Amino acid sequence: MPDQNGASNGARELTYAEALREGLRQIMAQDERVFLIGEDVGVYGGAFGVSAGLRDEFGGERVIDTPISEAGIAGACIGSALTGMRPVGEIQFMDFITISMEQLVLQAAKIRFMFGGKATVPMVLRTPAGSGTGAAAQHSESLENWFVHVPGLKVVMPSSPYDAKGLLLSAIQDDNPVIFVEHKLLYRTKGNVPEEMYTIPLSQANVVRKGEHLTVVATSIMVRRALEAADILAQEGIEIEIIDPRTLMPLDEKPIIESVKKTGKAMVVHEAVKTGGYGGEIVSRIVESEAFGYLEAPVRRLAGLDIPIPYNRTLEVNTVPQVQSIVDEARKLVNGQY
Amino acid sequence: MPDQNGASNGARELTYAEALREGLRQIMAQDERVFLIGEDVGVYGGAFGVSAGLRDEFGGERVIDTPISEAGIAGACIGSALTGMRPVGEIQFMDFITISMEQLVLQAAKIRFMFGGKATVPMVLRTPAGSGTGAAAQHSESLENWFVHVPGLKVVMPSSPYDAKGLLLSAIQDDNPVIFVEHKLLYRTKGNVPEEMYTIPLSQANVVRKGEHLTVVATSIMVRRALEAADILAQEGIEIEIIDPRTLMPLDEKPIIESVKKTGKAMVVHEAVKTGGYGGEIVSRIVESEAFGYLEAPVRRLAGLDIPIPYNRTLEVNTVPQVQSIVDEARKLVNGQY
Amino acid sequence: MQPVAVDELQKRGISTEYALELLTKMMQIRAFEEKAEELFALGRVHGTMHLSIGQEASAVGLSSALDSRDYLLNTHRGHGHCLAWYGSSPDLMMAEFMGKEAGYCRGRGGSMHIANVDTNNLGANGIVGGGLPISVGVGLTIKLRKTDQVAVAVFGDGGANTGAFHESVNMASIWKLPVIYFCENNQYAMSMAFQRAFNIEHISDRAVGYGIKGITVDGNDLLQVHDAAVEAVARARAGEGPTLIESVTYRWKGHSKSDKQAYRTRDEVKEWQEKDPIRRFSAFLGMSDAERDDMQAKARQRIEEAVTFSENSPEPDVAHIMEGVYA
Amino acid sequence: MQPVAVDELQKRGISTEYALELLTKMMQIRAFEEKAEELFALGRVHGTMHLSIGQEASAVGLSSALDSRDYLLNTHRGHGHCLAWYGSSPDLMMAEFMGKEAGYCRGRGGSMHIANVDTNNLGANGIVGGGLPISVGVGLTIKLRKTDQVAVAVFGDGGANTGAFHESVNMASIWKLPVIYFCENNQYAMSMAFQRAFNIEHISDRAVGYGIKGITVDGNDLLQVHDAAVEAVARARAGEGPTLIESVTYRWKGHSKSDKQAYRTRDEVKEWQEKDPIRRFSAFLGMSDAERDDMQAKARQRIEEAVTFSENSPEPDVAHIMEGVYA
Ligand SMILES: Cc1ncc(C[n+]2csc(CCOP(=O)(O)OP(=O)(O)O)c2C)c(N)n1
Ligand SMILES: Cc1ncc(C[n+]2csc(CCOP(=O)(O)OP(=O)(O)O)c2C)c(N)n1
Ligand SMILES: [Mg+2]
Ligand SMILES: [Mg+2]
């Protein structure tokens, strides 16, 4: 597997959106079972431009614009996957996945099990989550934990361009339905991305930064914010270890538990609403594990407020964790203030 | 508020289904804004008989049978609630609520906030959850944690006939959208229910049984199973304290935290799939609180396996916690085996 | 056989043997479901079931127009379509119904989820309308692969009121997918009468809204169903897109095991029982009552064998409970 | 005024003053949206917006048939309907658009969620089709209370392909709810052309599938929209149930702030700009260009005042961020 930092491996700077697009283009060129389907994924290139140009390249038969029919999009993926294709669907905003729930949860996730393990549903449903664009409550949802709670689905959330491409290619080649959650504010962020068709295995967590004082489990854009926070904290002598699960379900919990055994302290950071969220899963995995005996402080969740995302820019920013709130929370935890 | 055990207050034995029906009948007689809407709630009396006879009593205008349109049912509740009614919708099986998600999550939950606090959506959506009837993967879901994760919604899960009636009446009188999760296997269970129109406040946890050795937070049918387990454990000298949150969101966490401070040990029991479930929320609330310092053992979750509900009876029973598994897990926790 | 029958069958290229095979299918379906009901009554099966007794011509008429390359998306009331499907085994179906390891789904699915992907039977569905969006995907596979397969999505009158119906039929129409939308209007969605749930006379009228062909047929007349299906199949294979077929029929039994049927009268049920599709087709073929009863007895015998097979099959092993969630 | 206009207005009981008021509304909508675009370009507003420039006759024609007792369920492209609604204030709308505390939603909702429940404006909606199921409930309230109110649910051509549309219109039809389904077919759902998303000529053809009246009107002709709405309102108030109105129009601007419009030609846009509903109605009223421009300038002035009002309104206070989630 090429390295994220290895320019020698032909890595160049790409944005997260470009990395995704490159992955899509490469696999479509290689595997004719792969096709794209979703609202405005064609000429428009997708609401966030991820599939820009792909319709020109692969034609309207393989880059399919749909009517506004999110249940239909999910079903189109399920039915084609069940009969041998490898569809990549797009739900324009994660909020609208609420309309696909029956298909995803009662069909895609369960078909294999209900059919006695005799069918496969190799589909990927890409969707952008998160706030920060001023699009308010119905265009800013972070619903990943719903899918984590559905056996049969895999849930992937890349936090960097490198991960985005490698995980997307793995997801498409995986034989299970994968909910692939992107983040709107990450699309334009840049990073090194090898040109070749590399994959990053699903269910493999990534220790993004090493540290001794506190384990920070962060997902999606919170990984970036945690990295920024780490720099600030380092100036105060606080070294946080940042772990990005990348695949939320099935979770690779071992690096997290090992880390907590080392640091004795842990916090989870995610954008989604705190109550009922993924943080609870991580906290529980830590507390239920052998790491429990090593804990020197409560495990804390830093997450979105329990409110819908407000429109007003200041309110919006204050609804979800920012670099400064990570710094503050980490400092408190490390300094024994909880 | 009349007492659950006070036959002096006119309590008699009713089933959970009868208790719900009595509550519905009483409030419909008193408040003409209340009406019922759902599939087969009329002449059929609802798939589990909860509304049996109510159409005869209140007429087809107030006990409304719908086409198979779960998004429509949710919308019918939202729109009527927004304009002054107090609808009680029924989703025939909780699984089908997957089709109502957009309306519940993006509309019902958010309307008040998005409108600057200037609107109310006083609706109740009743729905039966859970396995145990042999109806397999698409008729056995326990999805409560999805709704716990949605600010603006309240989530109520009664575990006894007494709670069922009192909580339902509170939910109907509450000015917020309430997801009211019943359990199929509880419908025929019996308990004392006062005849009068009492209410049990939402967001008030119930200490169902006192004990010194272990705090068991259980929901819905797991409260009954935990009570049975408690009797068995008591014979071994293990006294568990059982707490039923009753309202999962917003949660009354205080009694839980107080209990853990006393017992030093805690476990959560729910039927829903463990990963991404409500157990994580309870574990986190405990670990984040002052109870953390009192913990003498890891906090454990005992929950449904991470699989869809299988059809075969033996597999089905083995998928979710039963009395014996609660006994086993509690014993291990108390005996320091974790 | 009566001359008119000979004529009618010949016109359609249906041999006498094939006609008898179709009748046998209908009878096996009837026998399977009668047996299912009995097993329930005896407490030997758990869960629930949805019997299609009275609707047999609809299932068999439809499958008679399809062949082994085609795909089926079935409903909760799907025993009939499943048995009528090419290559289906009453043994493996009954074993599934009885929750056994030898069943089509290793006892994990049960009555509402019987599938056999090997024969393109993509499964019954516990969700009303649940197979409809999936049909769009199956249609896309066919279109992308440029084969001449057809997918058929079966659903009830109730299913025609789901949002899934609307999105799916529209998508199939605009992309001219080779999908047949086969609506069994058996007059009720559970307790909801067709007349109360629709403000139209024929569900097939909805085809107008999607710019596709819609047709209503007598679902108790095997040949009428066959004809409509043949036409729809031809249209689909020719790349002319989907068809909406409304097959008007009636379920004799309650919606599921626990149905007091307060929403309909006994007279109404009786009236429809007189339109028994099996008697109708056997009479059409010129069979005597005795011949028919004899054939039905054989069909029952076949189902008894399936029960015996199932009884001899082991229960799923709890040790393997976690299997089959992920590939 | 030209005699034909006098005649036409009189026939409908529309006074000259009222006609001018309607024209003013259209102009204010145009001005509001031009201003919105400008504020965006200047970076003074964040988020996104959906402009209805070119569709003004549709909004004003519809509201002209309703009155203060009636209910509105609006869409993401809803500035026009909101401004056209009885009792609406450009000041409070603009304040909301600018995210200010004085806005209709205290700055919590923004462009896509402007609502004013006090005047029965039940809100714009960020979800395509999101208001349609809600309209069923509003219709039920009216029916249960036995008032003579009407609810109107506005949606786009895209919205007509959502499952929500199907379930909702069917429910409204079977229960004869007083709801008007008002579909603004502006030729595109984002980049998806009407012709690609539908296999029918008129969205109103879908009415057949629900047994209700469907009608297609020129949505750039205020009086045509008015007439269709008046008829639908009469039907609804008389207890005769819903109507599906398709108002054929066009959006001049991109779908939202970031739309390169690669899916359509400039010529097409120009062609439709020649059908400007404002010029059309002002010409119909016999106005000179100068008179019209003068009136438009006044409308712009009114919107400038709204901007000033909004600028003087405070930002929401972060201390109150948790407010308004629960009642
Ligand atoms: C989405 C959904 N809603 C409700 C149900 C419960 N249910 C199962 S079958 C049925 C009636 C279905 O009626 P119809 O589609 O006409 O099929 P039929 O049973 O008459 O064959 C209902 C309400 C379900 N399974 N799925
Ligand atoms: C359910 C849903 N899917 C997708 C979107 C994204 N989106 C917003 S508006 C729009 C196009 C809507 O088209 P139409 O209904 O014709 O209304 P118009 O924008 O043309 O006024 C899309 C795809 C959404 N808001 N909601
Ligand atoms: Mg039916
Ligand atoms: Mg449009």
Side-chain angles (χ1 to χ4, degrees), chain A residues 39-40 68 70 92-93 96 99 139, chain D residues 50 55 75-77 126-128 155-159 162 184 186 188-190 251 255:
Chain A
E39 290 156 17
D40 310 290
I68 304 185
E70 282 81 6
Q92 204 164 72
F93 284 74
F96 315 153
I99 303 171
H139 286 72
Chain D
H50 304 87
Q55 307 182 188
T75 71
H76 60 286
R77 200 173 303 286
I127 302 305
V128 173
F155 56 105
D157 45 300
T162 62
E184 295 189 304
N186 61 3
Y188 292 93
M190 207 155 152
R251 68 165 153 74
H255 166 70

mmCIF file of all heavy atoms in Angstrom, chain A residues 39-40 68 70 92-93 96 99 139, chain D residues 50 55 75-77 126-128 155-159 162 184 186 188-190 251 255, ligand 2:
data_model
loop_
_atom_site.group_PDB
_atom_site.id
_atom_site.type_symbol
_atom_site.label_atom_id
_atom_site.label_comp_id
_atom_site.label_asym_id
_atom_site.label_seq_id
_atom_site.Cartn_x
_atom_site.Cartn_y
_atom_site.Cartn_z
ATOM 1 N N GLU A 39 -28.937 11.876 -7.825
ATOM 2 C CA GLU A 39 -29.478 13.122 -8.353
ATOM 3 C C GLU A 39 -28.346 14.029 -8.822
ATOM 4 O O GLU A 39 -27.421 14.300 -8.062
ATOM 5 C CB GLU A 39 -30.314 13.820 -7.274
ATOM 6 C CG GLU A 39 -31.602 13.063 -6.983
ATOM 7 C CD GLU A 39 -32.173 13.326 -5.607
ATOM 8 O OE1 GLU A 39 -31.782 14.315 -4.963
ATOM 9 O OE2 GLU A 39 -33.007 12.514 -5.161
ATOM 10 N N ASP A 40 -28.424 14.460 -10.059
ATOM 11 C CA ASP A 40 -27.488 15.448 -10.599
ATOM 12 C C ASP A 40 -26.036 14.991 -10.577
ATOM 13 O O ASP A 40 -25.127 15.810 -10.538
ATOM 14 C CB ASP A 40 -27.631 16.770 -9.828
ATOM 15 C CG ASP A 40 -29.087 17.205 -9.731
ATOM 16 O OD1 ASP A 40 -29.658 17.583 -10.752
ATOM 17 O OD2 ASP A 40 -29.687 17.123 -8.634
ATOM 18 N N ILE A 68 -36.019 12.920 -8.270
ATOM 19 C CA ILE A 68 -35.860 13.086 -6.825
ATOM 20 C C ILE A 68 -36.602 11.947 -6.153
ATOM 21 O O ILE A 68 -37.801 12.023 -5.875
ATOM 22 C CB ILE A 68 -36.356 14.469 -6.380
ATOM 23 C CG1 ILE A 68 -35.585 15.519 -7.198
ATOM 24 C CG2 ILE A 68 -36.122 14.660 -4.888
ATOM 25 C CD1 ILE A 68 -35.855 16.923 -6.816
ATOM 26 N N GLU A 70 -35.226 9.279 -3.467
ATOM 27 C CA GLU A 70 -34.140 8.671 -2.678
ATOM 28 C C GLU A 70 -34.402 7.212 -2.338
ATOM 29 O O GLU A 70 -33.453 6.430 -2.193
ATOM 30 C CB GLU A 70 -33.881 9.482 -1.408
ATOM 31 C CG GLU A 70 -33.070 10.764 -1.641
ATOM 32 C CD GLU A 70 -33.901 11.923 -2.156
ATOM 33 O OE1 GLU A 70 -35.141 11.776 -2.225
ATOM 34 O OE2 GLU A 70 -33.333 12.976 -2.490
ATOM 35 N N GLN A 92 -27.699 13.078 -2.168
ATOM 36 C CA GLN A 92 -27.125 14.416 -2.328
ATOM 37 C C GLN A 92 -26.707 15.086 -1.020
ATOM 38 O O GLN A 92 -25.687 15.774 -0.968
ATOM 39 C CB GLN A 92 -28.127 15.290 -3.088
ATOM 40 C CG GLN A 92 -27.510 16.440 -3.806
ATOM 41 C CD GLN A 92 -28.462 17.026 -4.838
ATOM 42 O OE1 GLN A 92 -29.441 17.676 -4.485
ATOM 43 N NE2 GLN A 92 -28.203 16.786 -6.103
ATOM 44 N N PHE A 93 -27.525 14.931 -0.001
ATOM 45 C CA PHE A 93 -27.174 15.370 1.352
ATOM 46 C C PHE A 93 -27.574 14.224 2.275
ATOM 47 O O PHE A 93 -28.612 13.592 2.051
ATOM 48 C CB PHE A 93 -27.974 16.625 1.762
ATOM 49 C CG PHE A 93 -27.503 17.899 1.133
ATOM 50 C CD1 PHE A 93 -27.755 18.169 -0.199
ATOM 51 C CD2 PHE A 93 -26.819 18.852 1.880
ATOM 52 C CE1 PHE A 93 -27.324 19.346 -0.792
ATOM 53 C CE2 PHE A 93 -26.390 20.041 1.305
ATOM 54 C CZ PHE A 93 -26.639 20.286 -0.036
ATOM 55 N N PHE A 96 -31.185 13.516 3.340
ATOM 56 C CA PHE A 96 -32.196 12.898 2.480
ATOM 57 C C PHE A 96 -32.152 11.377 2.550
ATOM 58 O O PHE A 96 -33.038 10.696 2.029
ATOM 59 C CB PHE A 96 -32.030 13.339 1.018
ATOM 60 C CG PHE A 96 -31.785 14.811 0.825
ATOM 61 C CD1 PHE A 96 -31.089 15.283 -0.285
ATOM 62 C CD2 PHE A 96 -32.239 15.742 1.747
ATOM 63 C CE1 PHE A 96 -30.845 16.635 -0.465
ATOM 64 C CE2 PHE A 96 -31.992 17.104 1.574
ATOM 65 C CZ PHE A 96 -31.292 17.545 0.466
ATOM 66 N N ILE A 99 -35.038 9.249 3.616
ATOM 67 C CA ILE A 99 -36.061 8.738 2.693
ATOM 68 C C ILE A 99 -35.671 7.355 2.161
ATOM 69 O O ILE A 99 -36.507 6.616 1.662
ATOM 70 C CB ILE A 99 -36.267 9.746 1.542
ATOM 71 C CG1 ILE A 99 -36.658 11.111 2.129
ATOM 72 C CG2 ILE A 99 -37.342 9.265 0.560
ATOM 73 C CD1 ILE A 99 -36.689 12.236 1.125
ATOM 74 N N HIS A 139 -30.180 20.267 5.991
ATOM 75 C CA HIS A 139 -29.087 19.988 5.064
ATOM 76 C C HIS A 139 -27.756 19.859 5.785
ATOM 77 O O HIS A 139 -26.704 20.120 5.198
ATOM 78 C CB HIS A 139 -28.958 21.104 4.012
ATOM 79 C CG HIS A 139 -30.016 21.093 2.957
ATOM 80 N ND1 HIS A 139 -31.312 21.459 3.200
ATOM 81 C CD2 HIS A 139 -29.969 20.750 1.652
ATOM 82 C CE1 HIS A 139 -32.014 21.362 2.076
ATOM 83 N NE2 HIS A 139 -31.230 20.930 1.131
ATOM 84 N N HIS D 50 -32.544 29.796 -3.218
ATOM 85 C CA HIS D 50 -33.170 29.318 -4.445
ATOM 86 C C HIS D 50 -34.085 30.422 -4.942
ATOM 87 O O HIS D 50 -35.117 30.692 -4.317
ATOM 88 C CB HIS D 50 -33.955 28.042 -4.178
ATOM 89 C CG HIS D 50 -33.109 26.957 -3.559
ATOM 90 N ND1 HIS D 50 -32.916 26.857 -2.202
ATOM 91 C CD2 HIS D 50 -32.405 25.943 -4.121
ATOM 92 C CE1 HIS D 50 -32.124 25.816 -1.949
ATOM 93 N NE2 HIS D 50 -31.794 25.254 -3.091
ATOM 94 N N GLN D 55 -40.822 33.326 -11.944
ATOM 95 C CA GLN D 55 -41.978 32.533 -11.532
ATOM 96 C C GLN D 55 -42.978 33.346 -10.716
ATOM 97 O O GLN D 55 -43.862 32.788 -10.058
ATOM 98 C CB GLN D 55 -41.508 31.319 -10.700
ATOM 99 C CG GLN D 55 -40.449 30.479 -11.372
ATOM 100 C CD GLN D 55 -40.006 29.234 -10.595
ATOM 101 O OE1 GLN D 55 -39.061 28.581 -10.979
ATOM 102 N NE2 GLN D 55 -40.700 28.911 -9.509
ATOM 103 N N THR D 75 -42.167 25.733 -0.460
ATOM 104 C CA THR D 75 -40.965 24.961 -0.823
ATOM 105 C C THR D 75 -39.674 25.728 -0.560
ATOM 106 O O THR D 75 -39.711 26.892 -0.176
ATOM 107 C CB THR D 75 -40.930 24.622 -2.329
ATOM 108 O OG1 THR D 75 -40.671 25.831 -3.044
ATOM 109 C CG2 THR D 75 -42.226 24.020 -2.793
ATOM 110 N N HIS D 76 -38.580 25.057 -0.879
ATOM 111 C CA HIS D 76 -37.256 25.678 -0.801
ATOM 112 C C HIS D 76 -37.175 26.926 -1.685
ATOM 113 O O HIS D 76 -36.481 27.861 -1.370
ATOM 114 C CB HIS D 76 -36.180 24.673 -1.231
ATOM 115 C CG HIS D 76 -36.371 24.188 -2.638
ATOM 116 N ND1 HIS D 76 -37.361 23.297 -2.983
ATOM 117 C CD2 HIS D 76 -35.716 24.499 -3.775
ATOM 118 C CE1 HIS D 76 -37.299 23.073 -4.288
ATOM 119 N NE2 HIS D 76 -36.322 23.786 -4.798
ATOM 120 N N ARG D 77 -37.864 26.886 -2.826
ATOM 121 C CA ARG D 77 -37.864 28.054 -3.702
ATOM 122 C C ARG D 77 -39.082 28.900 -3.335
ATOM 123 O O ARG D 77 -39.973 29.133 -4.154
ATOM 124 C CB ARG D 77 -37.923 27.608 -5.171
ATOM 125 C CG ARG D 77 -37.451 28.656 -6.178
ATOM 126 C CD ARG D 77 -37.367 28.103 -7.601
ATOM 127 N NE ARG D 77 -36.508 26.945 -7.707
ATOM 128 C CZ ARG D 77 -35.174 26.986 -7.655
ATOM 129 N NH1 ARG D 77 -34.562 28.148 -7.542
ATOM 130 N NH2 ARG D 77 -34.475 25.863 -7.721
ATOM 131 N N GLY D 126 -36.919 22.636 3.282
ATOM 132 C CA GLY D 126 -35.675 22.299 2.613
ATOM 133 C C GLY D 126 -35.711 20.947 1.929
ATOM 134 O O GLY D 126 -34.801 20.601 1.179
ATOM 135 N N ILE D 127 -36.753 20.197 2.200
ATOM 136 C CA ILE D 127 -36.851 18.856 1.646
ATOM 137 C C ILE D 127 -37.852 18.858 0.494
ATOM 138 O O ILE D 127 -39.011 19.249 0.666
ATOM 139 C CB ILE D 127 -37.310 17.868 2.732
ATOM 140 C CG1 ILE D 127 -36.335 17.902 3.906
ATOM 141 C CG2 ILE D 127 -37.446 16.449 2.168
ATOM 142 C CD1 ILE D 127 -34.889 17.643 3.514
ATOM 143 N N VAL D 128 -37.399 18.410 -0.653
ATOM 144 C CA VAL D 128 -38.290 18.339 -1.805
ATOM 145 C C VAL D 128 -39.413 17.351 -1.467
ATOM 146 O O VAL D 128 -39.153 16.210 -1.095
ATOM 147 C CB VAL D 128 -37.525 17.879 -3.064
ATOM 148 C CG1 VAL D 128 -38.495 17.649 -4.209
ATOM 149 C CG2 VAL D 128 -36.477 18.918 -3.440
ATOM 150 N N PHE D 155 -45.099 22.689 -4.619
ATOM 151 C CA PHE D 155 -43.937 21.823 -4.855
ATOM 152 C C PHE D 155 -43.507 21.985 -6.299
ATOM 153 O O PHE D 155 -44.217 22.583 -7.110
ATOM 154 C CB PHE D 155 -44.258 20.360 -4.515
ATOM 155 C CG PHE D 155 -45.440 19.794 -5.250
ATOM 156 C CD1 PHE D 155 -45.262 18.911 -6.309
ATOM 157 C CD2 PHE D 155 -46.738 20.150 -4.893
ATOM 158 C CE1 PHE D 155 -46.350 18.391 -6.996
ATOM 159 C CE2 PHE D 155 -47.839 19.641 -5.580
ATOM 160 C CZ PHE D 155 -47.648 18.770 -6.639
ATOM 161 N N GLY D 156 -42.359 21.439 -6.629
ATOM 162 C CA GLY D 156 -41.846 21.592 -7.988
ATOM 163 C C GLY D 156 -42.087 20.346 -8.809
ATOM 164 O O GLY D 156 -42.645 19.358 -8.327
ATOM 165 N N ASP D 157 -41.657 20.412 -10.054
ATOM 166 C CA ASP D 157 -41.726 19.213 -10.891
ATOM 167 C C ASP D 157 -40.929 18.086 -10.235
ATOM 168 O O ASP D 157 -41.368 16.934 -10.210
ATOM 169 C CB ASP D 157 -41.189 19.507 -12.300
ATOM 170 C CG ASP D 157 -39.891 20.299 -12.296
ATOM 171 O OD1 ASP D 157 -39.885 21.429 -11.773
ATOM 172 O OD2 ASP D 157 -38.875 19.781 -12.783
ATOM 173 N N GLY D 158 -39.794 18.416 -9.660
ATOM 174 C CA GLY D 158 -39.024 17.395 -8.956
ATOM 175 C C GLY D 158 -39.824 16.773 -7.830
ATOM 176 O O GLY D 158 -39.816 15.549 -7.638
ATOM 177 N N GLY D 159 -40.533 17.607 -7.112
ATOM 178 C CA GLY D 159 -41.331 17.121 -5.990
ATOM 179 C C GLY D 159 -42.393 16.120 -6.411
ATOM 180 O O GLY D 159 -42.780 15.240 -5.639
ATOM 181 N N THR D 162 -41.471 12.398 -6.000
ATOM 182 C CA THR D 162 -41.164 11.816 -4.698
ATOM 183 C C THR D 162 -42.292 10.897 -4.255
ATOM 184 O O THR D 162 -43.466 11.120 -4.577
ATOM 185 C CB THR D 162 -41.001 12.905 -3.620
ATOM 186 O OG1 THR D 162 -42.241 13.606 -3.483
ATOM 187 C CG2 THR D 162 -39.914 13.896 -3.996
ATOM 188 N N GLU D 184 -45.279 23.687 -9.346
ATOM 189 C CA GLU D 184 -44.615 24.647 -10.225
ATOM 190 C C GLU D 184 -43.616 23.905 -11.096
ATOM 191 O O GLU D 184 -42.512 23.593 -10.654
ATOM 192 C CB GLU D 184 -43.912 25.718 -9.395
ATOM 193 C CG GLU D 184 -44.933 26.539 -8.625
ATOM 194 C CD GLU D 184 -44.337 27.744 -7.941
ATOM 195 O OE1 GLU D 184 -43.398 27.572 -7.154
ATOM 196 O OE2 GLU D 184 -44.814 28.856 -8.195
ATOM 197 N N ASN D 186 -41.128 24.180 -13.353
ATOM 198 C CA ASN D 186 -40.228 25.182 -13.941
ATOM 199 C C ASN D 186 -39.179 24.509 -14.828
ATOM 200 O O ASN D 186 -38.089 25.015 -15.022
ATOM 201 C CB ASN D 186 -39.597 26.050 -12.850
ATOM 202 C CG ASN D 186 -38.755 25.232 -11.885
ATOM 203 O OD1 ASN D 186 -38.601 24.019 -12.058
ATOM 204 N ND2 ASN D 186 -38.216 25.874 -10.877
ATOM 205 N N TYR D 188 -37.101 22.163 -14.591
ATOM 206 C CA TYR D 188 -35.922 21.487 -14.072
ATOM 207 C C TYR D 188 -36.066 21.185 -12.586
ATOM 208 O O TYR D 188 -36.646 21.979 -11.840
ATOM 209 C CB TYR D 188 -34.651 22.349 -14.250
ATOM 210 C CG TYR D 188 -34.271 22.504 -15.701
ATOM 211 C CD1 TYR D 188 -34.726 23.589 -16.442
ATOM 212 C CD2 TYR D 188 -33.494 21.537 -16.343
ATOM 213 C CE1 TYR D 188 -34.419 23.720 -17.780
ATOM 214 C CE2 TYR D 188 -33.174 21.662 -17.685
ATOM 215 C CZ TYR D 188 -33.646 22.745 -18.399
ATOM 216 O OH TYR D 188 -33.341 22.864 -19.726
ATOM 217 N N ALA D 189 -35.530 20.060 -12.208
ATOM 218 C CA ALA D 189 -35.257 19.787 -10.804
ATOM 219 C C ALA D 189 -33.736 19.804 -10.750
ATOM 220 O O ALA D 189 -33.079 18.874 -11.214
ATOM 221 C CB ALA D 189 -35.803 18.428 -10.398
ATOM 222 N N MET D 190 -33.235 20.902 -10.261
ATOM 223 C CA MET D 190 -31.790 21.134 -10.308
ATOM 224 C C MET D 190 -31.318 20.984 -11.766
ATOM 225 O O MET D 190 -31.699 21.813 -12.591
ATOM 226 C CB MET D 190 -31.074 20.182 -9.341
ATOM 227 C CG MET D 190 -29.763 20.740 -8.836
ATOM 228 S SD MET D 190 -29.321 20.019 -7.234
ATOM 229 C CE MET D 190 -27.536 20.164 -7.338
ATOM 230 N N ARG D 251 -37.455 29.005 -14.178
ATOM 231 C CA ARG D 251 -36.603 29.819 -13.301
ATOM 232 C C ARG D 251 -35.474 30.393 -14.139
ATOM 233 O O ARG D 251 -34.796 29.685 -14.868
ATOM 234 C CB ARG D 251 -36.071 29.019 -12.112
ATOM 235 C CG ARG D 251 -35.088 27.925 -12.401
ATOM 236 C CD ARG D 251 -34.345 27.448 -11.145
ATOM 237 N NE ARG D 251 -33.907 26.075 -11.272
ATOM 238 C CZ ARG D 251 -32.889 25.657 -12.020
ATOM 239 N NH1 ARG D 251 -32.187 26.511 -12.752
ATOM 240 N NH2 ARG D 251 -32.573 24.376 -12.070
ATOM 241 N N HIS D 255 -30.084 26.939 -10.184
ATOM 242 C CA HIS D 255 -30.838 26.243 -9.148
ATOM 243 C C HIS D 255 -30.600 26.844 -7.771
ATOM 244 O O HIS D 255 -31.528 27.104 -7.017
ATOM 245 C CB HIS D 255 -30.443 24.762 -9.124
ATOM 246 C CG HIS D 255 -30.905 24.078 -7.894
ATOM 247 N ND1 HIS D 255 -32.238 23.828 -7.660
ATOM 248 C CD2 HIS D 255 -30.241 23.616 -6.802
ATOM 249 C CE1 HIS D 255 -32.372 23.231 -6.479
ATOM 250 N NE2 HIS D 255 -31.186 23.096 -5.946
HETATM 251 C C1 LIG E 2 -35.687 14.879 -0.809
HETATM 252 C C2 LIG E 2 -34.715 15.833 -1.394
HETATM 253 N N1 LIG E 2 -33.897 15.409 -2.367
HETATM 254 C C3 LIG E 2 -33.018 16.266 -2.933
HETATM 255 C C4 LIG E 2 -32.944 17.568 -2.508
HETATM 256 C C5 LIG E 2 -31.928 18.522 -3.145
HETATM 257 N N2 LIG E 2 -32.633 19.454 -3.984
HETATM 258 C C6 LIG E 2 -33.090 20.615 -3.505
HETATM 259 S S1 LIG E 2 -34.080 21.401 -4.585
HETATM 260 C C7 LIG E 2 -33.851 20.183 -5.737
HETATM 261 C C8 LIG E 2 -34.535 20.279 -7.036
HETATM 262 C C9 LIG E 2 -35.980 20.447 -6.828
HETATM 263 O O1 LIG E 2 -36.633 20.486 -8.025
HETATM 264 P P1 LIG E 2 -38.128 20.934 -8.087
HETATM 265 O O2 LIG E 2 -38.947 20.126 -7.150
HETATM 266 O O3 LIG E 2 -38.535 20.892 -9.514
HETATM 267 O O4 LIG E 2 -38.156 22.407 -7.549
HETATM 268 P P2 LIG E 2 -37.365 23.663 -8.133
HETATM 269 O O5 LIG E 2 -36.048 23.685 -7.455
HETATM 270 O O6 LIG E 2 -37.265 23.494 -9.601
HETATM 271 O O7 LIG E 2 -38.199 24.824 -7.728
HETATM 272 C C10 LIG E 2 -33.034 19.194 -5.258
HETATM 273 C C11 LIG E 2 -32.645 17.974 -5.986
HETATM 274 C C12 LIG E 2 -33.802 17.950 -1.465
HETATM 275 N N3 LIG E 2 -33.763 19.190 -0.961
HETATM 276 N N4 LIG E 2 -34.681 17.085 -0.942
#
